[in-house]
Amino acid sequence: MANIQIRKYQDEDAEVVKELFTLGMSEHVPSSFTHVLKQPLTQMFLMVTFCALITSSKSFLLPVLAVTLVLAAVRQMVVYMFNKYIEATLRKDLNNIGGIYLQKKNSCFWVAESDGRVVGTVACLPAETAPGFLELKRMSVRRSHRGMGIAKALCRTVADFTRERGFPAVILYTSVVQADAQKLYEHMGYTKIREFVLPEFTAKILNFTLFEYRLDFN
């Protein structure tokens, strides 16, 4: 891992950090779209639509066009969901990194810098859902700098920070569509301790599962 420095966030990093987060989340749109298409409810709806139209219209073109439009609508729905999440995170979290991560006890936000350019981020703060633990958040590495060990170094930074402050473990949450992230965390010693579906109606319909991972220091 050459020319990589991990340091605390500074105010001048604000825009590039928000850019990294937005790009990183947008990369999950294709895998999320594929996940939606694999769901039995989606496949049943597409099949029923196709069969009903081909029976009523006695034409192959109309049902194909209809299914194509449905698929386009589904993809737009996925894009919309990610955009709403990105907007909410920017508004509630990344627009106030100093107040949320740097001015509170047992919290911090780091960036990974390569040749003067911010190429990765990670943060941690006390976990709301698991009192007594810290939570790893905002892990992101620019695509052009992946495979260089930056994500592992950022994970170790959070682990060291957590251990030094006497916490017994660090937890994190990732989703069913983030397969590479799951492999990374498991490689770094995290254990999957539970999985659950978000309470929102759309998430339940699409079986959008989240995984909770924990790294113990015992």
Side-chain angles (χ1 to χ4, degrees), residues 187-205:
H187 178 79
M188 297 301 295
Y190 283 81
T191 301
K192 186 189 298 183
I193 60 174
R194 72 182 178 113
E195 58 183 74
F196 58 97
V197 176
L198 291 170
E200 286 81 0
F201 176 75
T202 305
K204 290 182 177 180
I205 290 295

Side-chain angles (χ1 to χ4, degrees), residues 167-186:
F167 289 89
V170 56
I171 66 168
L172 62 85
Y173 297 94
T174 189
S175 73
V176 65
V177 301
Q178 294 172 285
D180 289 342
Q182 294 169 44
K183 292 177 183 177
L184 166 68
Y185 298 135
E186 290 169 5

